Amino acid sequence: MSQKISLTRYLVEQQRVDGHIPSQLRLLIEVVARACKSVSQAVNKGALGGVLGTAGSENVQGEVQKKLDIIANEVLIEANEWGGHLAAMASEEMDSIYVVPNRYPQGEYLLLFDPLDGSSNIDVNVSIGTIFSVLKKPAGEAGVQEKDFLQAGKCQVAAGYCIYGPQTTLVLTVGDGVAMFTLDREQGSFVLVQEHMKIPEDTKEFAINMSNMRHWDAPVKRYIDECLAGAEGPRGKDFNMRWIASMVADVHRILTRGGVFMYPWDRREPNKPGKLRLMYEANPMGWLVEQAGGAATNGKQRILDIQPEKLHERVSVILGSRNEVERVASYHSAV
Ligand code: AHM
Ligand code: MG
């Protein structure tokens, strides 16, 4: 790419030429990107910024919060509450929705995020990220309530993540393919590095936490057993395994070179449908993967078709290279 295209220019052109994004949505995405730059700086400072370690509190899911979980949550709220583009926000780190205070104008969008995904990797200097999903507030009623957020993933109007790794990279969809931007620290702006990302349909790489194998259901066990059997098994080829324990990092690899990612339901907590959260993890990642030609399912249903019943609802997730995801889904329908 000879001429550098900034995120701002990309969004202006999406707005002007293709009519994909209204100006308020463009503003929203730019504000989220700016917040991600601040989070990136805090992540980079690490121990020097006093940001590592636990905060001594738990979130609504009963998970211990890290200092950076809370810092990233505050950065996203403070950046987004005053611009007039949002009605309310919801986050993995907040029990209930955060309605834009009365002193600011209220917009028509709803923003959901996991402010710092992959928290177990914060203190060990491994890639982590921010995941976000944007919905439109249903028209008609005044005010905003939690039920306004309970829309299926197919209703998203923008989704993306920012990965804080060797590079800070923002990956975005507004429903016209997936674009990737890397943070140019000298310029202080995100620069387009790839448009129309495509996930290969086939892969020889899978990502799953193998330590949970004894708790899995039969279809997932069958799929992984066949991968592990390699060239001598029914698949007739050797597979490679990767598990970063940061969904952003695993999905980023899959968007870049293919693969299949799974965090299935398991017997450890049989009443929960899975570990990952539907509305601010599976839905945005599912849409990005679909926009890049891949697929995302809970084994029985397309992720984006699931009607959420709760803000912090969990879901079983299988996503990535289309043919592999369809194979895992077919093993589910065979039982
Ligand atoms: P988090 O949002 O609290 O960080 O949890 C989500 C993360 C995902 O990024 C990752 O895929 C998974 O949890 C790893 O879980 P495990 O440690 O069980 O392998
Ligand atoms: Mg998370």
Side-chain angles (χ1 to χ4, degrees):
M1 216 171 291
S2 53
Q3 202 188 7
K4 284 187 175 181
I5 296 177
S6 65
L7 174 67
T8 302
R9 176 168 168 189
Y10 174 85
L11 293 173
V12 167
E13 284 174 0
Q14 286 274 326
Q15 182 185 357
R16 188 197 297 145
V17 182
D18 304 323
H20 282 298
I21 36 177
S23 59
Q24 290 296 300
L25 182 56
R26 176 163 76 82
L27 174 66
L28 193 167
I29 294 167
E30 293 223 51
V31 173
V32 169
R34 204 158 59 229
C36 289
K37 277 193 255 177
S38 300
V39 176
S40 173
Q41 278 193 341
V43 169
N44 277 185
K45 283 188 188 139
L48 303 180
V51 297
L52 302 186
T54 57
S57 50
E58 282 187 357
N59 65 14
V60 64
Q61 359 248 340
E63 298 158 342
V64 174
Q65 290 176 305
K66 296 280 170 87
K67 284 184 194 164
L68 266 173
D69 285 324
I70 293 177
I71 293 168
N73 194 59
E74 282 169 3
V75 166
L76 279 151
I77 288 178
E78 282 167 18
N80 276 288
E81 68 180 352
W82 51 269
H85 50 283
L86 282 182
M89 293 176 249
S91 157
E92 178 176 321
E93 304 304 337
M94 298 189 294
D95 299 10
S96 39
I97 65 166
Y98 179 92
V99 178
V100 167
N102 282 339
R103 61 183 179 279
Y104 303 120
Q106 284 216 353
E108 58 180 350
Y109 291 103
L110 306 171
L111 174 65
L112 298 105
F113 47 83
D114 178 354
L116 212 58
D117 179 64
S119 308
S120 71
N121 283 321
I122 292 174
D123 293 346
V124 293
N125 203 357
V126 170
S127 297
I128 47 185
T130 299
I131 310 173
F132 63 93
S133 162
V134 185
L135 296 165
K136 233 175 152 181
K137 184 170 100 76
E141 288 176 45
V144 57
Q145 302 170 41
E146 186 167 311
K147 71 171 172 40
D148 296 330
F149 283 79
L150 303 181
Q151 303 179 37
K154 62 186 171 199
C155 301
Q156 293 173 104
V157 293
Y161 63 80
C162 186
I163 179 167
Y164 313 112
Q167 303 116 43
T168 289
T169 297
L170 183 84
V171 175
L172 174 73
T173 185
V174 288
D176 181 35
V178 178
M180 178 162 85
F181 305 82
T182 294
L183 180 60
D184 180 335
R185 290 194 186 274
E186 278 93 61
Q187 300 293 326
S189 60
F190 282 101
V191 175
L192 183 66
V193 290
Q194 197 181 341
E195 252 187 301
H196 306 300
M197 297 181 83
K198 277 276 163 273
I199 300 176
E201 287 188 352
D202 293 300
T203 183
K204 293 164 128 185
E205 205 159 62
F206 66 87
I208 193 165
N209 184 339
M210 291 288 289
S211 68
N212 298 325
M213 190 173 210
R214 69 191 184 286
H215 305 296
W216 296 338
D217 229 356
V220 173
K221 177 99 173 38
R222 174 182 170 192
Y223 176 76
I224 296 297
D225 279 346
E226 290 181 0
C227 292
L228 295 177
E232 293 78 41
R235 302 299 307 275
K237 60 182 183 181
D238 291 331
F239 278 77
N240 187 20
M241 194 203 91
R242 288 285 182 275
W243 183 250
I244 304 176
S246 284
M247 190 193 199
V248 261
D250 280 313
V251 169
H252 194 66
R253 184 188 60 256
I254 288 169
L255 276 166
T256 308
R257 69 175 188 213
V260 60
F261 169 95
M262 301 200 250
Y263 211 121
W265 170 90
D266 68 48
R267 273 180 202 85
R268 285 172 302 165
E269 292 185 273
N271 296 331
K272 289 185 184 162
K275 175 180 182 185
L276 300 177
R277 274 56 51 123
L278 173 63
M279 299 214 59
Y280 39 80
E281 291 178 324
N283 274 345
M285 292 311 205
W287 197 30
L288 285 167
V289 164
E290 281 197 3
Q291 283 287 313
T297 174
N298 66 0
K300 303 216 158 74
Q301 193 182 6
R302 179 186 176 222
I303 297 270
L304 299 189
D305 284 337
I306 298 173
Q307 174 59 45
E309 283 165 14
K310 289 189 298 201
L311 197 56
H312 298 288
E313 182 166 327
R314 295 177 189 254
V315 65
S316 177
V317 177
I318 299 146
L319 58 76
S321 291
R322 174 165 292 280
N323 289 341
E324 293 301 306
V325 173
E326 284 174 359
R327 176 181 285 270
V328 184
S330 74
Y331 290 2
H332 280 81
S333 44
V335 289

